[in-house]
Amino acid sequence: MSNATTTETKPAPPPVDKMKIKIDGREIEVPKMMPDWQGKLQPTTMLQACAAAGHDVPHYCYHPKLPIAGNCRMCLVEFGTPAMGPDRKPVLNEDGSAKIAKSVLPYEPTSPRGAIACATPISPGMEIYPNSPATKQMREAVLESLLINHPLDCPICDQAGECKLQEYSVDHGNAASRFVEEKVHKPKHVDLGPRIVLDDERCILCSRCVRFTKDIVGDDALGFAQRGSHNTLTNFPGKQFDNNYTLNTVDICPVGALTSKDFRFKMRVWFLKETKSICTSCATGCNVIVGSREGNVYRYEPRENDAVNSCWMCDSGRLNYKWINREDRLTEVQHLKSKAQSWPMALKEISEVLRKASSGSVAIVASARQTNEELYLLKKLATKFNAITDSVPRHGESDKLLLNADRNPNSNGAKLIGISPAQMGSNLPKIADGIRNGTIKTLIVFGEDVTKHGIGTDLLVKLDHLIVSDILPNKTTESAHYLLPGCAHAEKRGSFVNAKGRVQRFLQAIQPKGDARPEWEFLHELVFNVTGQNGFASIEGLFNQMAQEIPAFNGVTWAVLGDAGVTIPT
Amino acid sequence: MSFTIPIELEAELNELVTHYPQKRSASLMFLHAIQEHFGYISKEAMEWTAAKLELSPINIYELVTFYPMFRQEPAGKYQIKVCRTLSCALAGSGKLHKHFCEKFGLDSHAHGVQTSKDGEFSVEFVECLASCGTGPVMMCNEDFYEAVSNSKADEILQTCK
Ligand code: SF4
Ligand code: SF4
Ligand code: FES
Ligand code: FES
């Protein structure tokens, strides 16, 4: 890892070789080479050049992160290249400009012949006509052919509202169908695997899903059976489409053919509020969009970030949101096992307890699922009491694509801030000993069930004060003297540092449940009451203050983090 | 996977692989040989072929379903193939196909090959059999027939006993 944040100035990149072409009558200069799906430089395509010029060429099978297939023909555009005389010299117009030979059908020179923009490289002097009548006619024809056997069941289709077939049909298609024959029927409810249902009638055979699972995941599981109008997307009969990335095919399917069993028929997509967030299920920290409505989370979708997760996320992370709405969420402030209390009372009493605590008598177990801001505030308390601190490591299997063996989203944050020792969890036995021999009298636990990590209920009962904040009940929350209901990350703002040292922020999607409050808010109050230090009462200010104080954060600011985050040395 | 292949056939196939720069290229030859031997290509045979050629089973399944000459089920003792390409279609191959289907209790609108309940006859449409001037044409096993009317069809069936 480099020793500078990515925001700092780097040596100027080598000059890019450019080429002049004309798009829709306007001359522009585009790089001769642009990154392909793997990021390797390849000759720039017409589609990439058009995008650079602000023209969105409609496309189905093309996806910037998948190998090019060129099978849907939606991206056909009319174009021309400088005419060459028999002497291989450019033919000039009377005004001296280069004469352009439009591409036409060889046997019918009055008919324009388009080229697929996704797979055709540009050449010097080329002219592309993305809005010409001929281009429009080609699009109409392609759409008409795609709709021949399409069931048009938009009213019951999950994709409606984010369907490229709908969108392009509105933009480029015909209102009425000329097709009077009977449509070919295909399987409507195919159980492809544990998380995916396929409607083959809606499939437009773009092969995005096939390429994704083969070339990105390495699980060559999908393909096309039969031929002609019976061509059908399928798995091998009886072989489940079941890798940990299958749900990405639902995202990239341009139509409603691949649907998520989890999201199917749950919510119309246009009702969903979209919030930029981060997956919390492992240290990769995939960027996600949380789709929520009226306080409920309905789905996670990956959000593109080339420094982290490209356009993908794993299925296990994507589906790990149900607990947010679990019935048994902790929603009340409690004092001494289930007596309800108000926030002001509880914070006042806890502050008093802590103010009286002597140096070395307090221990803190925080969670590496907590945000930097929360851990930073806890560290302030720890410093005040000279408290021993730790977090709980969480391990699983990793894979080659995204999933990290570290299942905590913020292990690096916990280490940089100094809550967790370099070997996370190595202080836990010391804390247990301290409670056993009576030196530790007050234990603060955030978001972990310490009874599962060597600090059993037998030890917890020995404490004078057990202050716990959590989201869901467990053995530790049951023993708490003070129980403070915290928030799921979808209910608050904050930042994490991922496994590669990328600091990423997430925003609030829904309101906290019941009386639950974002941890940083009440921690901020506690820190002020106990240490007299007044920090910033906003997440932005808090983050900026932390980044000033902790050298590793290099003084990055909340604003600079932006949507994509910033890499720091870890 | 309950698929066993005779040693001689496997040896023949192993040798076949060596003819190609890539193992995958031997797929079609494998499938022909397997169908020739077993009469059809079972799911297990596809999985076996895929494993042998270091492919995923879906790659083989695509081929088997793409080519009409490959069968996934045993065919009838007599295989009737009716040409449906343009000349024959104009000459009435649809009527001929329907005639056979009705005789054997099959659905004339169904896609692909169908076999009568007693396993005696399979009926399917095929593309041009290269005798376009004398449609409708058909084949019954290896025998070729031209200008087949319904009554001629019945005569052909008489010989299938
Ligand atoms: S299911 Fe969707 S992604 Fe896959 S080929 Fe069909 S339209 Fe394309
Ligand atoms: S790889 Fe990790 S961060 Fe990414 S979606 Fe899966 S669990 Fe979440
Ligand atoms: S986007 Fe499908 S052919 Fe270009
Ligand atoms: S069209 Fe039937 S044989 Fe050619």
Side-chain angles (χ1 to χ4, degrees):
Chain A
M1 187 146 303
S2 79
N3 270 333
T5 62
T6 49
T7 49
E8 271 173 33
T9 45
K10 290 196 199 119
V16 188
D17 238 357
K18 296 217 171 180
M19 188 190 290
K20 272 199 182 121
I21 61 168
K22 247 188 198 171
I23 298 177
D24 208 13
R26 194 160 62 90
E27 186 165 83
I28 75 155
E29 258 196 334
V30 280
K32 276 189 184 160
M33 309 280 273
M34 282 178 83
D36 69 355
W37 65 287
Q38 289 173 306
K40 287 196 204 109
L41 284 182
Q42 297 287 350
T44 303
T45 63
M46 301 207 295
L47 190 139
Q48 287 173 317
C50 286
H55 289 278
D56 186 14
V57 177
H59 54 269
Y60 289 116
C61 68
Y62 171 78
H63 186 286
K65 302 291 178 198
L66 295 177
I68 288 174
N71 61 28
C72 75
R73 321 312 282 180
M74 190 62 216
C75 65
L76 280 170
V77 285
E78 191 192 10
F79 72 104
T81 43
M84 291 286 178
D87 52 357
R88 302 306 297 155
K89 292 225 174 73
V91 183
L92 300 183
N93 289 319
E94 275 171 13
D95 63 0
S97 61
K99 191 177 164 75
I100 296 294
K102 285 199 182 177
S103 164
V104 292
L105 295 179
Y107 47 88
E108 206 182 294
T110 49
S111 296
R113 180 174 71 170
I116 49 172
C118 69
T120 313
I122 51 168
S123 56
M126 181 184 251
E127 293 196 350
I128 306 174
Y129 315 108
N131 292 319
S132 72
T135 299
K136 286 185 183 158
Q137 213 183 354
M138 293 181 222
R139 285 179 192 155
E140 262 173 35
V142 169
L143 277 171
E144 185 169 30
S145 114
L146 284 176
L147 288 172
I148 281 183
N149 285 314
H150 195 84
L152 290 176
D153 48 5
C154 313
I156 55 152
C157 179
D158 277 300
Q159 193 83 358
E162 52 184 13
C163 174
K164 288 285 172 207
L165 193 56
Q166 270 190 338
E167 287 166 23
Y168 292 158
S169 295
V170 170
D171 290 348
H172 312 287
N174 284 317
S177 168
R178 294 185 292 162
F179 190 72
V180 291
E181 291 80 359
E182 197 172 331
K183 296 194 181 224
V184 172
H185 289 291
K186 293 188 195 170
K188 283 288 289 174
H189 189 115
V190 186
D191 197 272
L192 264 196
R195 291 171 295 284
I196 308 273
V197 174
L198 163 69
D199 183 327
D200 256 314
E201 291 197 329
R202 295 178 187 155
C203 171
I204 57 163
L205 307 166
C206 72
S207 85
R208 277 182 173 193
C209 55
V210 179
R211 283 172 281 149
F212 171 77
T213 187
K214 174 169 181 266
D215 297 306
I216 306 288
V217 186
D219 174 19
D220 197 355
L222 302 177
F224 294 116
Q226 316 295 341
R227 12 165 239 296
S229 45
H230 293 271
N231 220 194
T232 305
L233 176 81
T234 181
N235 50 350
F236 187 74
K239 197 164 176 272
Q240 293 272 295
F241 179 41
D242 182 15
N243 59 58
N244 196 20
Y245 292 88
T246 58
L247 284 166
N248 293 289
T249 61
V250 176
D251 303 328
I252 57 175
C253 179
V255 293
L258 293 167
T259 59
S260 151
K261 282 189 188 169
D262 182 56
F263 182 68
R264 206 172 146 87
F265 305 137
K266 295 272 163 61
M267 182 53 64
R268 280 313 200 174
V269 297
W270 52 83
F271 290 133
L272 290 178
K273 171 179 141 192
E274 302 200 318
T275 309
K276 293 181 176 132
S277 190
I278 304 290
C279 172
T280 55
S281 297
C282 88
T284 302
C286 293
N287 292 208
V288 303
I289 293 202
V290 175
S292 65
R293 187 186 183 204
E294 291 175 354
N296 286 320
V297 172
Y298 284 90
R299 68 173 179 189
Y300 286 180
E301 283 185 303
R303 175 162 64 90
E304 182 171 357
N305 186 339
D306 286 351
V308 183
N309 55 311
S310 183
C311 299
W312 326 118
M313 73 186 293
C314 77
D315 289 2
S316 45
R318 184 191 302 248
L319 296 178
N320 187 16
Y321 67 88
K322 305 240 151 90
W323 55 274
I324 299 174
N325 277 338
R326 241 166 69 176
E327 287 294 319
D328 56 348
R329 273 287 298 270
L330 300 171
T331 54
E332 284 188 331
V333 182
Q334 284 171 19
H335 176 221
L336 285 178
K337 297 172 198 170
S338 83
K339 257 196 263 144
Q341 207 185 25
S342 71
W343 275 106
M345 273 304 283
L347 291 182
K348 188 163 160 259
E349 288 181 27
I350 296 172
S351 303
E352 265 155 35
V353 165
L354 291 179
R355 268 199 295 262
K356 285 185 207 135
S358 58
S359 176
S361 72
V362 179
I364 299 178
V365 179
S367 174
R369 286 170 164 171
Q370 285 185 268
T371 66
N372 294 323
E373 297 74 12
E374 293 160 14
L375 295 171
Y376 167 70
L377 289 167
L378 280 167
K379 177 69 185 175
K380 287 216 171 286
L381 286 181
T383 314
K384 162 89 181 166
F385 303 114
N386 204 8
I388 177 166
T389 62
D390 206 345
S391 324
V392 173
R394 214 169 245 110
H395 286 293
E397 299 260 305
S398 64
D399 67 19
K400 277 187 258 156
L401 194 50
L402 292 172
L403 194 62
N404 196 292
D406 178 359
R407 294 292 205 268
N408 278 323
N410 200 21
S411 296
N412 268 335
K415 285 176 195 162
L416 291 177
I417 291 161
I419 279 284
S420 154
Q423 183 65 41
M424 190 182 290
S426 58
N427 278 348
L428 291 174
K430 294 181 202 155
I431 297 176
D433 284 345
I435 302 175
R436 202 171 289 121
N437 66 31
T439 42
I440 292 175
K441 298 195 163 53
T442 302
L443 180 64
I444 301 176
V445 182
F446 269 72
E448 296 288 356
D449 181 3
V450 290
T451 62
K452 289 199 186 130
H453 305 283
I455 308 177
T457 11
D458 55 320
L459 289 180
L460 294 183
V461 293
K462 298 182 71 172
L463 290 161
D464 290 348
H465 306 285
L466 175 59
I467 300 159
V468 179
S469 170
D470 215 321
I471 298 169
L472 294 165
N474 57 44
K475 284 258 153 21
T476 306
T477 62
E478 279 165 22
S479 316
H481 302 154
Y482 289 96
L483 179 57
L484 308 171
C487 284
H489 78 294
E491 298 163 347
K492 63 189 176 192
R493 293 190 294 164
S495 66
F496 295 136
V497 187
N498 83 355
K500 289 186 178 155
R502 198 160 187 91
V503 191
Q504 309 192 92
R505 65 179 200 191
F506 58 86
L507 305 179
Q508 179 181 355
I510 55 173
Q511 288 303 315
K513 303 268 171 296
D515 259 354
R517 279 177 70 184
E519 290 82 342
W520 69 267
E521 277 184 34
F522 63 79
L523 275 173
H524 176 262
E525 228 171 299
L526 272 184
V527 168
F528 174 65
N529 292 350
V530 176
T531 70
Q533 292 179 38
N534 200 358
F536 286 90
S538 73
I539 203 85
E540 293 88 347
L542 201 51
F543 179 87
N544 297 349
Q545 185 188 20
M546 173 188 75
Q548 287 298 329
E549 246 168 67
I550 299 178
F553 284 91
N554 267 353
V556 198
T557 61
W558 179 266
V560 164
L561 288 186
D563 292 336
V566 166
T567 303
I568 58 168
T570 51
Chain B
M1 216 188 293
S2 61
F3 180 71
T4 38
I5 189 153
I7 300 174
E8 311 82 64
L9 182 56
E10 181 157 9
E12 189 188 314
L13 292 176
N14 285 342
E15 198 271 332
L16 242 166
V17 178
T18 63
H19 295 202
Y20 301 94
Q22 283 180 27
K23 288 194 172 183
R24 181 175 194 146
S25 313
S27 309
L28 277 181
M29 301 310 286
F30 264 57
L31 295 174
H32 279 301
I34 288 170
Q35 177 156 304
E36 176 102 7
H37 183 86
F38 296 95
Y40 69 106
I41 304 167
S42 65
K43 214 178 109 183
E44 290 72 27
M46 290 187 240
E47 286 173 309
W48 182 87
T49 306
K52 197 85 185 160
L53 300 177
E54 292 162 21
L55 297 170
S56 175
I58 185 74
N59 306 134
I60 300 298
Y61 184 68
E62 286 180 321
L63 285 180
V64 171
T65 58
F66 182 86
Y67 292 106
M69 72 256 185
F70 290 136
R71 282 188 298 272
Q72 293 181 65
E73 253 131 46
K77 193 163 144 207
Y78 298 99
Q79 295 164 40
I80 295 169
K81 298 179 170 148
V82 180
C83 170
R84 69 154 164 219
T85 307
L86 190 60
S87 305
C88 289
L90 292 173
S93 61
K95 210 175 89 204
L96 179 61
H97 179 262
K98 194 164 170 213
H99 181 68
F100 284 122
C101 288
E102 279 168 2
K103 265 204 126 60
F104 305 132
L106 305 172
D107 174 9
S108 61
H109 293 292
H111 181 66
V113 58
Q114 299 182 80
T115 304
S116 63
K117 280 221 180 65
D118 58 7
E120 287 288 297
F121 293 97
S122 300
V123 182
E124 69 188 303
F125 267 135
V126 294
E127 304 308 330
C128 185
L129 293 173
S131 181
C132 317
T134 56
V137 307
M138 62 167 273
M139 289 178 78
C140 181
N141 288 348
E142 300 302 311
D143 298 321
F144 187 69
Y145 301 93
E146 294 165 290
V148 186
S149 61
N150 286 2
S151 53
K152 185 161 174 190
D154 292 340
E155 281 166 32
I156 297 167
L157 289 181
Q158 287 305 318
T159 66
C160 303
K161 287 292 165 205

